[in-house]
């Protein structure tokens, strides 16, 4: 096969077929491989295309460390160890989602060196499942021209798909990304919630939740059905297993009814009944249920006793969506819930959050606060930081504010909306838009 032909010397790099042979061979051998088999398979097939000594790392649950897949060793034969995301070259590739190369650790915020010159170096590239960052891939190359970068990018895309396809069928991945035991409520909720990142050409959704291992009653959910993005965020009373069960009921019931065509009002009422039916005591959850038409930017929402969403536009806060309000779900108070409507503009960012974000206190009792929260997100946007990295840094900042320990769950959903080129937001009627299932 051309994929097994040797590397050519000179600026031309490897033969054109090498990359295709590498990907085809890895794809064929990966069908029956386990997660633990992947490092050896990637190393074998990547080397045939001039990408030597591959290293695969995945991010831990809190995205503070990169953890090597089992059985890997460095060039000196030493077992690989986990490395920090904020102070390493590999971490820079993860944070910025751009290929970087270097040999030593660099400080947080450093920029990547340009891909010029010759000589061996290790290249790092982010592993992404669609748009969710799951880790990094590193290889050693003799030079770093555009052909090599393209080949590495394609290899990373395939490796990401393979990791994603294997991780759900083994406990190995869950064990790798955890740094300590997980509470029962957290185990249930993490398996119920969607991934923390989604994007297409109209919308970007990013989510973050902390404390990752002891989360009690916070949860989020989202789904894109045609042009309609369905969003929800919940905060159940308490921090015990019952709080986790309350949040589980909220997510499951809301998901069931939206799939049956319910609008945000009907879904909220169904959750209210479901929680009340389950508990003899007064258990409840606050929450936001929202629908965003990704074609027009028209947002409708129902607020069930929750902190109101915030809209950011061109570097400032332009709206607090507090015009619609209802009672918490699970109390069966029978009071009507209002519906809110708002027209987003292209480039707007919508923030949904739980009170654990703004009520986080330092040892002196100072709150993190809504103003500091909004300012943090605005400053990262001005710096050009992508939404997922913004939330990762936000959670770390909140943890630092409380010296590493949160008194309450802290959850954020950050939604960015973009109109398609040449497309203007359309005026909306006073009634709610029709619901997708």
């Amino acid at each position: 096969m051309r994929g097994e032909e040797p590397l050519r010397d000179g600026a031309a790099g490897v033969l054109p077929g090498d990359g295709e042979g590498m990907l085809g061979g890895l794809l064929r051998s990966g069908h029956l491989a386990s997660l633990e088999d992947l490092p050896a398979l990637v190393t074998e097939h990547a080397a045939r295309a001039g990408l030597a000594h591959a290293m695969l790392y995945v991010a831990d649950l809190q995205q503070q460390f990169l953890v090597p897949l089992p059985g890997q060793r460095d060039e000196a034969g030493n077992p690989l160890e986990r490395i920090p995301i904020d102070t390493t070259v590999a971490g820079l590739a993860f944070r910025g989602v751009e290929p970087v190369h270097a040999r030593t650790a660099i400080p947080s915020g450093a920029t990547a060196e340009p891909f010029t010159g010759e000589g061996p170096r290790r290249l790092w590239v982010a592993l992404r499942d669609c748009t969710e960052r799951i880790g990094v891939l590193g290889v050693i190359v003799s030079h770093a021209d555009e052909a090599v970068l393209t080949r590495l990018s394609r290899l990373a895309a395939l490796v990401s798909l393979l990791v994603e396809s294997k991780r759900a069928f083994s406990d190995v991945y869950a064990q790798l990304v955890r740094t300590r035991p997980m509470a029962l409520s957290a185990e249930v909720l993490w398996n119920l919630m969607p991934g923390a990142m989604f994007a297409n050409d109209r919308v970007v959704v990013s989510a973050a939740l902390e404390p990752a291992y002891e989360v009690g009653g916070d949860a989020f959910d989202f789904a894109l059905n045609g042009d309609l993005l369905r969003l929800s965020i919940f905060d159940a009373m308490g921090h015990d297993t019952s709080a986790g069960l309350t949040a589980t009921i909220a997510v499951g019931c809301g998901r069931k009814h939206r799939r049956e065509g319910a609008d945000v009002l009907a879904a909220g009422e169904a959750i209210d009944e479901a929680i009340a039916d389950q508990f003899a005591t007064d258990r409840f959850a606050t929450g936001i249920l929202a629908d965003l038409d990704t074609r027009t930017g028209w947002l409708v929402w129902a607020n069930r006793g929750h902190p109101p969403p915030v809209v950011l536009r061109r570097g400032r806060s332009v709206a607090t969506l507090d015009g619609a309000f209802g009672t918490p779900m699970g109390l069966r108070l029978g009071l009507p819930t209002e519906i809110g409507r708002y027209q987003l503009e292209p480039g707007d960012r919508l923030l949904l959050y739980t009170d654990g974000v703004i009520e986080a206190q330092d040892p002196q009792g100072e709150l993190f606060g809504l103003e500091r929260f909004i300012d943090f997100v605005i400053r990262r946007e001005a710096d050009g930081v992508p939404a997922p990295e913004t939330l990762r840094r936000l959670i770390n900042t909140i943890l630092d504010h409380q010296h590493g320990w949160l008194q309450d769950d802290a959850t954020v959903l950050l939604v960015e909306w973009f109109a398609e080129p040449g497309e203007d937001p359309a005026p909306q009627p006073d009634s709610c838009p029709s619901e997708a299932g």
Side-chain angles (χ1 to χ4, degrees), residues 35-36 58-62 67 69-70 163 166-182 187 190-191 213:
L35 184 70
E36 300 97 307
V58 293
D60 80 305
L61 188 60
Q62 294 174 300
V67 186
L69 266 62
V163 171
K166 308 297 180 184
R167 66 180 178 177
F169 302 101
S170 169
D171 289 332
V172 172
Y173 187 88
Q175 292 167 342
L176 280 175
V177 301
R178 298 181 184 185
T179 59
R180 60 181 185 269
M182 182 169 286
E187 187 77 55
W190 277 118
N191 282 284
Y213 296 93

Side-chain angles (χ1 to χ4, degrees), residues 2 11 43 62 136 158 177 208 256 286 310 359-360 393 407:
R2 292 189 66 192
T43 297
Q62 294 174 300
V136 295
L158 178 55
V177 301
K256 162 184 158 58
T286 68
V310 173
E359 294 178 2
R393 297 185 190 184
Q407 295 112 338

Side-chain angles (χ1 to χ4, degrees), residues 132-148:
E132 179 187 2
R133 301 173 299 175
I134 60 177
V136 295
L137 167 66
V139 298
I140 293 177
V141 297
S142 61
H143 62 280
D145 60 15
E146 286 301 318
V148 170

Side-chain angles (χ1 to χ4, degrees), residues 39-266:
L41 289 176
V42 173
T43 297
E44 175 189 351
H45 291 282
R48 296 177 178 177
L51 307 177
H53 205 95
M55 293 181 177
L56 277 68
Y57 291 79
V58 293
D60 80 305
L61 188 60
Q62 294 174 300
Q63 294 191 345
Q64 295 179 343
F65 296 96
L66 293 168
V67 186
L69 266 62
Q72 299 184 87
R73 295 180 177 273
D74 62 20
E75 294 91 325
N78 301 312
L80 297 185
E81 299 181 354
R82 74 178 190 180
I83 55 178
I85 286 176
D86 284 311
T87 57
T88 60
V89 178
L92 179 59
F94 180 87
R95 301 193 315 265
V97 199
E98 293 287 343
V100 297
H101 72 99
R103 296 183 181 276
T104 58
I106 55 177
S108 177
T111 57
E113 299 176 37
F115 289 105
T116 58
E118 296 296 324
R121 78 284 308 275
R122 181 170 290 279
L123 300 183
W124 293 99
V125 64
L127 296 176
R128 292 188 290 171
D129 171 28
C130 187
T131 50
E132 179 187 2
R133 301 173 299 175
I134 60 177
V136 295
L137 167 66
V139 298
I140 293 177
V141 297
S142 61
H143 62 280
D145 60 15
E146 286 301 318
V148 170
L149 294 177
T150 298
R151 192 169 302 113
L152 178 58
S153 176
R154 291 173 178 172
L155 174 62
L158 178 55
V159 172
S160 300
L161 291 174
L162 289 173
V163 171
E164 167 61 18
S165 69
K166 308 297 180 184
R167 66 180 178 177
F169 302 101
S170 169
D171 289 332
V172 172
Y173 187 88
Q175 292 167 342
L176 280 175
V177 301
R178 298 181 184 185
T179 59
R180 60 181 185 269
M182 182 169 286
L184 175 59
S185 58
E187 187 77 55
V188 172
L189 285 170
W190 277 118
N191 282 284
L192 180 65
M193 292 183 290
M197 175 70 184
F198 170 79
N200 65 9
D201 57 351
R202 290 180 175 176
V203 69
V204 177
V205 184
S206 301
L209 188 155
E210 191 67 36
Y213 296 93
E214 293 87 22
V215 57
D218 275 17
F220 62 86
D221 195 19
F222 59 85
L224 182 66
N225 302 319
D227 291 329
L228 196 62
L229 177 65
R230 316 296 301 269
L231 301 158
S232 56
I233 188 169
F234 303 103
D235 184 358
M237 180 194 75
H239 306 94
D240 53 9
T241 302
S242 292
L245 178 57
T246 305
T248 299
I249 292 172
V251 172
C253 183
R255 189 176 291 173
K256 162 184 158 58
H257 283 83
R258 80 162 188 246
R259 289 172 176 172
E260 294 174 354
D263 62 16
V264 293
L265 291 179

Side-chain angles (χ1 to χ4, degrees), residues 377-391:
V377 176
I378 289 173
R379 287 179 180 275
R380 300 296 84 72
E381 180 181 18
D383 293 340
V385 177
E389 179 62 17
T390 293
L391 294 194

